[in-house]
Amino acid sequence: MTTTLRPTEPLQHHADGTRSRRYQVCVNSRPVGAIHLGTSPSLGESVARIIDLRIEESDRRRGRGTVAALAAEEVARGWGCRQIEARVPADARVALRLTETLGYVLRNRGMEKRLDDTPPPLPEGSRARPMTGAEFAAWQEYQREHYARTWIERGVPEAVARAKARRDHEQLLPRGMRSEGMTFSVLEHEGTRVGTLWLAVREDMAFVFDVEAEAAHRGRGHGRTLLLLAEAQALTAGRRVLGLNVFAGNTPAERLYESLGYRSTDYVLYKPLL
């Protein structure tokens, strides 16, 4: 039996510079599912992404999804892509096993926590204050470089990673530290600066874009305090859900988030296209 992809629309070119196309998954010309393939809006034309892949219930557990995903890789190679990625909901265990079987590697995962009604207090001796303009300028330069290096270490070409870091900051912070919905804080402990927090307030939730304890003060619980600060700021803004992203391999951060009650919402996996 032969599994193929049959286009159901012309190649779509979008305003954000991405392209995409929908296909039927067919077995001997019989439709058994669908796949939506595109390029990444954040990593550019060199990275393809499986936006959606569905196989009809009656045709599952027969390898249809595996063959369809492999066929999508061939399409992506024809587009000139060097990587392909997929975002998998945390509860989609079958899809997660499929991507891992095909050689995809975890890059990062989203996590969320539903907050109590009462803002948590900070530990004795710790206090938060707004970041100053001078601190923000130095922080942004450091954070943009660190962000780019994080992507480079996870298989993204340097030029692409640096372009992403620049573009993300421009889009998220069009007015710098005065950008709408953004809060930048410094955590002090007994008068010494020990960490920073970047929190965004969105329509239905708050999101931690960056949290970091100063290198000289790590291992003393300040990361936990920064996350308690994020909870308090989210609740003050009227948000009851707090989200964040964690990159694969950052085991201390993963353990911290899990200990505070965060749960995974989705996984992003990627694969080089040789």
Side-chain angles (χ1 to χ4, degrees):
M1 304 183 80
T2 303
T3 301
T4 58
L5 302 185
R6 177 188 297 162
T8 59
E9 65 178 357
L11 183 63
Q12 304 294 304
H13 295 273
H14 304 287
D16 61 0
T18 61
R19 49 183 165 167
S20 69
R21 201 171 193 182
R22 299 176 189 271
Y23 302 83
Q24 281 184 332
V25 180
C26 298
V27 175
N28 292 345
S29 299
R30 177 177 64 89
V32 298
I35 187 168
H36 189 192
L37 184 66
T39 54
S40 170
S42 62
L43 295 174
E45 285 286 286
S46 67
V47 179
R49 60 178 181 141
I50 297 177
I51 302 170
D52 190 32
L53 171 58
R54 299 182 185 276
I55 302 297
E56 299 295 339
E57 178 65 35
S58 59
D59 277 279
R60 293 178 185 172
R61 293 172 292 279
R62 300 183 184 182
R64 315 295 197 211
T66 299
V67 177
L70 291 172
E73 293 179 17
E74 288 304 311
V75 173
R77 289 187 182 94
W79 288 357
C81 297
R82 299 166 58 186
Q83 278 189 12
I84 188 167
E85 66 178 22
R87 183 181 295 273
V88 180
D91 58 357
R93 296 300 176 186
V94 173
L96 187 60
R97 287 197 298 270
L98 170 62
T99 52
E100 292 174 342
T101 298
L102 290 171
Y104 284 70
V105 177
L106 180 65
R107 174 180 282 150
N108 56 284
R109 60 171 162 151
M111 304 185 79
E112 286 184 0
K113 179 179 181 179
R114 297 195 175 277
L115 306 178
D116 297 330
D117 292 335
T118 304
L122 300 187
E124 184 177 350
S126 295
R127 76 176 188 95
R129 62 170 175 81
M131 196 177 285
T132 67
E135 286 174 327
F136 175 82
W139 169 87
Q140 187 175 34
E141 181 178 356
Y142 161 79
Q143 204 278 336
R144 186 183 294 165
E145 173 64 20
H146 177 70
Y147 184 57
R149 295 302 310 175
T150 299
W151 286 99
I152 293 168
E153 290 166 1
R154 286 158 180 82
V156 176
E158 182 172 352
V160 174
R162 294 193 181 282
K164 174 176 172 56
R166 181 178 63 255
R167 184 172 57 250
D168 285 359
H169 273 246
E170 290 172 350
Q171 292 176 349
L172 291 168
L173 305 174
R175 299 182 59 221
M177 67 183 301
R178 294 178 179 81
S179 297
E180 184 177 0
M182 302 297 180
T183 300
F184 301 91
S185 305
V186 171
L187 177 68
E188 294 182 343
H189 184 71
E190 296 182 349
T192 299
R193 170 175 161 153
V194 294
T196 55
L197 172 68
W198 172 14
L199 183 80
V201 176
R202 296 173 168 174
E203 289 187 6
D204 57 346
M205 65 183 296
F207 193 86
V208 176
F209 271 111
D210 186 66
V211 57
E212 185 171 10
E214 304 280 349
H217 300 281
R218 291 175 186 163
R220 304 178 189 179
H222 300 310
R224 180 177 292 270
T225 302
L226 284 162
L227 289 167
L228 295 178
L229 172 62
E231 291 185 27
Q233 291 180 348
L235 288 168
T236 299
R239 304 301 186 268
R240 294 296 183 270
V241 177
L242 183 59
L244 50 79
N245 172 75
V246 58
F247 283 98
N250 191 350
T251 303
E254 291 177 325
R255 289 175 177 168
L256 173 60
Y257 302 149
E258 290 169 352
S259 73
L260 286 168
Y262 286 81
R263 296 294 178 263
S264 299
T265 56
D266 55 24
Y267 300 90
V268 178
L269 303 99
Y270 75 100
K271 178 181 180 179
L273 295 175
L274 303 178

